Amino acid sequence: MTELKSFASDNNSGAHPAIMEAVVQANRGHLKSYGDDEISIHTDEVFKEFFGSQARIHYVTTGTAANVLGLRSVTHTYNSVLCAEQAHINNDECGAPEAFGGIKLVPIPSTDGKLTPGMIAPYLGHMGFVHASQPKVVSITQPTELGKLYTLKEIENLVEFAHDRDLLVHLDGARLANACAALNCSFFDMTTALDVDFISFGGTKNGCLMGEAVIFLNPDIGEGFPYLRKQAMQLVSKMRFVSAQLEAYLKDDLWLRNAQNANAMARRLAEKAGAIEGVEIKGTVDCNALFAHIPPAATDILLKKYYFYVWDEHDHTVRWMTSWATTEDMVDEFVDDLRKAVKAVS
């Protein structure tokens, strides 16, 4: 098998060896099914150490399932979910929130994928009007699809604004670890301490095989989630193989080390690539995603060896992403080939 040299997505990296070993260890003997096993029960307690004793954790296998089922559990079909137009739930779930959740998404224009109270306010004018869908949830992505971070204060302000209007706040945390590593804060600091209501917690992009969870922090929501998870075919019979991944992920701050490496490699790539004449790094590099403007002919050359996304064909913007498995040598090799490609077409 030819090794894929990828800077397209942190999904392209493999699973961390410690997580693979945890799955192997979970394969021993007979354990109860559907999350009643000792591994899953213990992993619940580990999560509570990070998010607080009130947290309720439900394991699923995909980020789409975490987002859609979490949102579905707190909404009726006459409700709507407010999100940035760039949000993953709006652009990258193949209509799953609508098709399986019966949820109307209301995308709000944003330049960086972030929302503010002022941006949300104009979309609340029909609350109580029977002819309009009723806003119920504000969904934010941390970090955003454009790699930008909400500060803790920005999240706090959003939560306060939402709660004052009887709205819930959902945090899509597929890359929550990268955000916490970048802001030097804990999961608790970014979620529970700020009164976020529920989270889609992601591990797959940061070293897990298929480890995701829906975490309810608000004790008054999500009561029927176990039944929705079963209806949606996400109640894994051998749940121990999902929870074992997340237990290993949280152990000894593996999640943090993985995220720190991904973020550091993105900064290294930005610094070295940005020094090449003809390459423009667009904006700041907050986490493990960076966007660059390079000559389209150079893109064509690089794509023969590397895998990455052309983000905007109109202005020749590409997106590069790093992961827990990205090394300095990988970055340096890519930068060297980038330099050669730009020089060849200049």
Side-chain angles (χ1 to χ4, degrees), residues 42-82:
H42 179 259
T43 305
D44 286 353
E45 296 306 311
V46 173
F47 265 103
K48 290 179 181 181
E49 293 176 5
F50 283 85
F51 289 94
S53 60
Q54 84 292 347
R56 286 166 293 138
I57 302 92
H58 304 278
Y59 307 109
V60 294
T61 59
T62 71
T64 299
N67 283 332
V68 175
L69 293 179
L71 292 170
R72 175 66 185 87
S73 70
V74 300
T75 56
H76 296 288
T77 53
Y78 56 80
N79 287 133
S80 59
V81 173
L82 308 177

Side-chain angles (χ1 to χ4, degrees), residues 183-205:
L183 293 176
N184 192 29
C185 68
S186 67
F187 292 139
F188 187 94
D189 293 337
M190 190 172 286
T191 58
T192 310
L194 303 179
D195 284 335
V196 170
D197 294 290
F198 62 115
I199 312 159
S200 300
F201 182 90
T204 304
K205 297 181 188 299

Side-chain angles (χ1 to χ4, degrees), residues 68-69 80 116 160 174 178 187 227-228 239 247 287 300-301 325:
V68 175
L69 293 179
S80 59
T116 66
E160 182 179 356
N178 299 91
F187 292 139
Y227 305 101
L228 286 173
M239 189 69 77
E247 180 184 27
C287 290
D300 294 337
I301 293 173

Side-chain angles (χ1 to χ4, degrees), residues 17-31 39 240-241 244-245 247-248 251:
I19 291 173
M20 292 291 289
E21 178 60 25
V23 173
V24 171
Q25 294 299 320
N27 196 39
R28 296 180 177 180
H30 292 246
L31 294 178
I39 295 173
R240 55 174 151 158
F241 293 110
Q245 295 174 58
E247 180 184 27
K251 184 178 180 180

